[in-house]
Amino acid sequence: MLTARGWWLLFWPGAMAAVALPWLSYYSPTLAVLALSVLSWFLAEWVWFLIRSRAADGHITVERRVMQGDRELPNLWAGLDGVIRVRVRLNSRFRLPVVVLADKLPVGLTVAGGSRKRVGSLDPGGTLDLEYVVHPTLPGVARFEGLEVRVSDLGGFFYRRRFLRLPTEYLILPPLTDDEGGQRATKRFNSLPPPGVHRIRRPGSGSELLELRDYRPGDPPKMIAWKVSARRDRLITKEFENDVPVRCVLFLDASESTRLGEPGDTPLGRLTAIGSGVAQAASATRDLVGLTVFDETAASVITPARTRAHTMHLLRTFAETAGRAPPQPPTADAQQLLGHAYPLAQELYPDLLDKKINTRPFWMFWYPLLDSRFGWLILVLLLSPLLIFKKEMTQWIAETGLEWGPRRARYKGILALLYLPIFVGTWYWFIYGIRGIFPPRSRRLSQRKQLGALFATLNDDEPAAIGRAMHDDAFFAARAAKFLTEHRV
């Protein structure tokens, strides 16, 4: 594809050649030779650029890693910066002089440092790195769609855009809480206390005094309060409070009402952040922590435990729950969804929306009357006069013959009245259908046809689904909403 600079370079030599060639026999051929030389060089550069850029198709590999310090992480943490490192490798035999890389940022992440774009060159077998820092705020799922690659020549006359799809999802785990809880103390805080630090006002084997009572035969001697016994002149036994572990079970509401909102900023995301803080606070005192996630149809239960693996399992469950897709509305505006789905498809699937393989033929711009809801009624009204008077008209014409006279004029008037609705209906049908050739209807139908073919390819639908997506608003709205939901938009 030509850039603005390329179009200007093509225009001026072309204009010079168009002016100089007709007057070549009258004036000096210098201007014509110069213009043709520039055009020849321009054509050679264009062919060489196409060879190099097309040779790289399918031979560019992308590797994505999430780093924190010098370690590679399988997920991100909410509230902590993570380094996204993307490495692009060229396995072609031709060098790409100018390459522009742009990583698509998932919804819910913000760039805290670096840049998502990188300009450089790729040699055969060489690599080009892209690195930037992201800052997630709430738990959930971050979906990286892929990398946009723009290849250009050194002069900036041509460019080609390709999107290397590499869909990767990373869990954004809830933030880890401090073991010491931010408490100020002169004594070092025990980050791993023994189980059973919760007091209950019942007799047990704790360390806090509950009450004093009279000695009973069988009480251990070490439980006798000797000073109190000496004052009262009888044996008194000490009873201590009981220390018991607490079973903490969290109930997380993941219903449709909590999943409404923009991805990465839903009430469910904030609920999971609060719930993970409570779970980690309970785990810090070695309590048994469990989790129950429920919605309108089902519930999943995690039994209480207090191991480190169990705590990580809880955090992953919180992140996966926060990343649940919002519910699809039963009715949606097809035109509004078209405005969101088509730009996203152009960005992520430029090869599947290429006009060479996914376009709308001219004859399909016709918007037929029968595709409307009550179009069949118009056909019935148009055909009914002929169906009713067919037999009577045949007999009357046979009796009348072709003679001229009053009866002949009356015959013409009756025929005009019979065929006038058909003539008017035909023109109405033609005007109604030809509207699909002119904008904005033609642009809307073209976009819906392209998206229908894209949805049919992604969902392995039948070819009839393309036509249904063009004319059935409810069907198209459902497929567009599903497409946006899968890409977390």
Side-chain angles (χ1 to χ4, degrees), residues 391-406:
K391 182 176 180 181
E392 289 78 2
M393 286 297 301
T394 304
Q395 296 178 354
W396 187 73
I397 292 173
E399 296 175 356
T400 304
L402 299 178
E403 57 190 29
W404 296 94

Side-chain angles (χ1 to χ4, degrees), residues 80-406:
L80 296 178
D81 293 340
V83 178
I84 308 298
R85 185 173 297 172
V86 182
R87 174 164 293 180
V88 178
R89 181 182 298 274
L90 178 63
N91 300 320
S92 176
R93 295 181 298 173
F94 299 98
R95 179 177 182 270
L96 298 179
V98 179
V99 178
V100 181
L101 305 179
D103 196 14
K104 181 173 175 55
L105 189 68
V107 179
L109 296 184
T110 57
V111 178
S115 177
R116 296 185 297 109
K117 294 184 179 181
R118 173 74 186 276
V119 181
S121 60
L122 274 176
D123 296 326
T127 59
L128 188 61
D129 293 336
L130 175 66
E131 185 174 309
Y132 61 97
V133 182
V134 296
H135 182 79
T137 55
L138 289 177
V141 178
R143 179 185 174 92
F144 291 86
E145 295 291 348
L147 190 69
E148 181 184 4
V149 179
R150 289 179 180 264
V151 181
S152 178
D153 61 320
L154 287 175
F157 302 121
F158 321 99
Y159 82 96
R160 287 190 67 203
R161 174 184 175 270
R162 287 292 179 267
F163 191 86
L164 303 180
R165 288 188 293 273
L166 186 66
T168 308
E169 292 187 351
Y170 292 95
L171 288 178
I172 304 178
L173 299 182
L176 290 174
T177 57
D178 188 9
D179 286 342
E180 299 187 3
Q183 299 181 5
R184 296 182 59 185
T186 56
K187 180 180 178 297
R188 185 175 180 180
F189 188 82
N190 187 7
S191 61
L192 191 62
V197 298
H198 298 278
R199 297 162 50 189
I200 182 172
R201 297 191 62 82
R202 291 181 182 179
S205 58
S207 58
E208 297 291 334
L209 181 62
L210 176 63
E211 62 180 355
L212 297 174
R213 61 173 177 82
D214 291 337
Y215 176 80
R216 298 173 185 172
D219 288 343
K222 66 177 182 178
M223 304 298 295
I224 297 176
W226 295 105
K227 293 184 179 180
V228 178
S229 300
R231 288 195 300 267
R232 297 186 180 183
D233 198 17
R234 67 178 186 274
L235 294 178
I236 301 298
T237 302
K238 295 182 293 184
E239 283 192 346
F240 295 93
E241 291 184 353
N242 192 12
D243 288 342
V244 295
V246 174
R247 290 177 178 268
C248 176
V249 180
L250 303 177
F251 291 86
L252 181 60
D253 183 8
S255 59
E256 294 183 355
S257 60
T258 62
R259 287 179 279 155
L260 295 176
E262 297 182 1
D265 188 17
T266 59
L268 182 58
R270 292 186 285 273
L271 288 176
T272 54
I274 297 173
S276 64
V278 175
Q280 293 182 72
S283 298
T285 56
R286 301 192 68 189
D287 289 334
L288 302 175
V289 183
L291 177 63
T292 300
V293 181
F294 65 93
D295 55 12
E296 293 84 357
T297 58
S300 60
V301 179
I302 300 178
T303 56
R306 57 168 170 247
T307 61
R308 180 174 297 180
H310 176 74
T311 303
M312 292 302 301
H313 180 48
L314 288 179
L315 296 182
R316 293 184 63 87
T317 304
F318 278 121
E320 292 173 355
T321 305
R324 290 189 181 184
Q328 295 187 11
T331 58
D333 186 4
Q335 184 63 25
Q336 186 177 7
L337 291 176
L338 176 64
H340 291 283
Y342 191 75
L344 179 65
Q346 281 186 318
E347 185 178 3
L348 302 183
Y349 300 92
D351 52 338
L352 298 182
L353 293 184
D354 192 358
K355 293 183 178 180
K356 296 180 181 178
I357 61 174
N358 189 357
T359 185
R360 190 161 185 248
F362 182 78
W363 61 271
M364 291 184 66
F365 280 101
W366 183 269
Y367 193 77
L369 184 64
L370 290 180
D371 287 340
S372 61
R373 181 176 300 179
F374 302 104
W376 59 275
L377 291 176
I378 298 178
L379 286 183
V380 171
L381 293 176
L382 295 181
L383 296 178
S384 57
L386 290 182
L387 295 178
I388 295 174
F389 296 104
K390 179 180 179 181
K391 182 176 180 181
E392 289 78 2
M393 286 297 301
T394 304
Q395 296 178 354
W396 187 73
I397 292 173
E399 296 175 356
T400 304
L402 299 178
E403 57 190 29
W404 296 94

